[in-house]
Amino acid sequence: MTRIEMGRTNKLGYAAVIGMETYSRTHVDKRLYELLKIRASVINGCTFCVDMHITDGLKAGIPQRVLTAATAWEHAGELLTDRERAVLALTDAVTRLGENAVSDEVWERAAAFFDEGELGALVLAIATINVWNRIAISTRMTPPVDASHPIA
């Protein structure tokens, strides 16, 4: 049960977040996009978004083991590429920010695989999922349990 439905109560603001989502979805590789969304959602404790993006990733043909590896990427070994690990390290840093923020080491690791435009798109994508996580958590959205999302 949600506390409010942001798409109804705050249409313009919600539409702006959808605009960020649309931009990010069209400028970041689908596999990387789902992995970073899963990882940020795990860090933020957003079960609704973790469920959604694992489901979306499976529908996109991303193997379950790869999607699961994003949740604990530092220990995933060969399940993830160096490029994917660089994106997930960047996701961790941008999501957590804090005192050390995004270190030069994390930035350079990602910059080894992506040009400036791609790095900008990744940062926007990470920021977008963090916005969605905060909306879902604060309004207490929970994953659906129905025929398309069986629990057994």
Side-chain angles (χ1 to χ4, degrees):
M1 178 169 139
T2 59
R3 293 179 181 196
I4 59 174
E5 293 179 30
M6 297 287 285
R8 181 182 53 78
T9 60
N10 302 85
K11 290 179 185 177
L12 292 177
Y14 198 79
V17 179
I18 290 173
M20 289 176 66
E21 174 73 26
T22 301
Y23 177 86
S24 297
R25 187 176 299 279
T26 59
H27 286 81
V28 175
D29 171 83
K30 177 69 174 170
R31 180 173 166 130
L32 294 176
Y33 196 54
E34 295 304 336
L35 294 179
L36 73 83
K37 291 180 114 187
I38 291 165
R39 181 59 187 164
S41 298
V42 166
I43 292 168
N44 290 325
C46 185
T47 303
F48 180 86
C49 292
V50 171
D51 176 71
M52 176 189 298
H53 297 296
I54 287 178
T55 300
D56 290 350
L58 289 170
K59 287 179 185 174
I62 303 169
Q64 174 73 50
R65 293 182 74 203
V66 171
L67 297 169
T68 302
T71 67
W73 68 269
E74 293 162 306
H75 309 286
E78 298 301 313
L79 288 173
L80 299 168
T81 67
D82 289 342
R83 183 174 183 253
E84 290 165 342
R85 283 191 288 273
V87 167
L88 294 168
L90 184 63
T91 300
D92 282 14
V94 173
T95 298
R96 290 188 172 126
L97 287 178
E99 188 175 314
N100 297 319
V102 181
S103 70
D104 289 342
E105 177 185 345
V106 167
W107 188 263
E108 293 302 323
R109 182 177 180 184
F113 295 98
F114 303 96
D115 66 29
E116 289 181 352
E118 292 168 325
L119 283 168
L122 286 168
V123 170
L124 286 168
I126 297 163
T128 301
I129 188 56
N130 277 282
V131 170
W132 285 127
N133 290 163
R134 281 147 180 79
I135 290 170
I137 291 168
S138 63
T139 61
R140 293 190 179 164
M141 295 173 71
T142 58
V145 178
D146 56 28
S148 65
H149 295 84
I151 57 172

